[in-house]
Amino acid sequence: MQNYELMTPNEINDLPKVYATVQFSTEQITNCLDLFTKDFSFNKVIPIPENYQIVHGPVIEKALATYLTNFGRNNPQMMPGYYPIIVEMLQYAGITIPEDFNTWFRECTANCDTETWQRFYQLGYQYYENYKRTKIFTAVGFCGRFWGTPSDAIEVTSHTTKNTVGVVLTTLAKPPLPWLVVLSEMYPALNFIITVEDSNVIVTYKLHWGSLEKIHEEPASVTTDNESKLNTMGIF
């Protein structure tokens, strides 16, 4: 998975759009359609834990340097049971393993006051606890892993007909396939067709009760953002 946690908000917003069409029979609607038509959010199915929402990505290195060294006073290399996960975390965050952790702290937090250090320390603690649980730090990392895309849907468009419900989910970077798998587990009676289109390819999957299977792939045609992205494979 791409590490969205290392990106700035502007870089995330500049990621390319991807279109995922979710289709199922109107005979199978039950209350599943409500998820797509009433204030849609991926968060309704897979909520972001509060401890991920309060942590912000741009200060990862400063926060870890402060917390892991206890304000530059301790060297994690002296704690054998603690050091391996530190190496793993820093590598995940794209941070070069410091030769001297105390020097690392001083360089990361130069010109910071005590209040800022205290804030970094609390953030570093939260990063460390989050990483121990899920191997990610922040809300955007949580979304990338558990939703499949680094943010909520940009746009949700319904194309419901007499026999078929079709909903186009516009997202950034990648389609919300992990989220859709969880959705199908919530509604085991439903059969879904998922068609994903980006700038290069159109891929169609069938999805039932958490089982996702690719059934077709073809090069993408030239379309505009306003064109419908409904598949022609039909409902199985």
Side-chain angles (χ1 to χ4, degrees):
M1 183 195 76
Q2 188 172 4
N3 192 344
Y4 303 113
E5 294 175 300
L6 303 183
M7 295 183 175
T8 66
N10 287 338
E11 288 173 331
I12 291 174
N13 290 335
D14 287 340
L15 291 169
K17 293 180 181 178
V18 176
Y19 305 90
T21 301
V22 184
Q23 290 183 264
F24 51 98
S25 169
T26 55
E27 297 177 355
Q28 304 168 315
I29 287 179
T30 64
N31 62 339
C32 183
L33 184 59
D34 290 345
L35 287 171
F36 296 102
T37 57
K38 296 181 179 180
D39 300 320
F40 179 85
S41 173
F42 295 137
N43 202 55
K44 289 184 177 180
V45 174
I46 306 178
I48 303 172
E50 183 178 354
N51 54 295
Y52 291 92
Q53 293 175 318
I54 64 173
V55 184
H56 307 283
V59 296
I60 285 177
E61 184 167 10
K62 296 177 185 298
L64 290 178
T66 305
Y67 175 70
L68 294 178
T69 66
N70 190 22
F71 303 99
R73 291 193 289 263
N74 297 323
N75 190 332
Q77 289 177 302
M78 304 304 293
M79 296 174 271
Y82 194 36
Y83 187 60
I85 193 172
I86 293 174
V87 172
E88 184 180 306
M89 278 196 305
L90 297 182
Q91 289 175 338
Y92 172 78
I95 300 169
T96 301
I97 308 301
E99 294 183 5
D100 184 282
F101 280 77
N102 301 340
T103 300
W104 174 50
F105 163 77
R106 290 192 294 271
E107 291 175 348
C108 285
T109 59
N111 303 318
C112 290
D113 55 29
T114 302
E115 183 179 347
T116 303
W117 285 353
Q118 293 289 348
R119 181 171 62 87
F120 285 161
Y121 187 89
Q122 293 301 318
L123 288 174
Y125 166 77
Q126 194 64 71
Y127 282 136
Y128 178 71
E129 292 299 316
N130 288 352
Y131 190 85
K132 283 198 303 183
R133 295 186 187 99
T134 59
K135 303 298 184 182
I136 50 180
F137 295 125
T138 66
V140 69
F142 181 93
C143 297
R145 175 167 300 177
F146 295 102
W147 295 356
T149 183
S151 63
D152 219 332
I154 300 171
E155 185 178 13
V156 181
T157 307
S158 176
H159 294 271
T160 302
T161 66
K162 181 179 179 180
N163 298 315
T164 305
V165 175
V167 180
V168 180
L169 302 174
T170 304
T171 58
L172 292 174
K174 292 185 178 181
L177 293 180
W179 184 88
L180 289 166
V181 168
V182 173
L183 177 70
S184 73
E185 292 173 342
M186 293 172 57
Y187 296 93
L190 298 184
N191 297 312
F192 298 91
I193 288 288
I194 312 296
T195 302
V196 175
E197 179 175 352
D198 60 25
S199 59
N200 300 313
V201 68
I202 301 173
V203 183
T204 303
Y205 305 86
K206 63 180 180 180
L207 174 62
H208 175 67
W209 206 346
S211 177
L212 185 71
E213 178 186 354
K214 181 191 293 187
I215 57 177
H216 185 69
E217 182 174 334
E218 63 184 59
S221 59
V222 178
T223 60
T224 67
D225 287 353
N226 294 324
E227 293 182 36
S228 299
K229 306 290 192 299
L230 297 180
N231 86 84
T232 58
M233 300 298 294
I235 299 296
F236 67 99

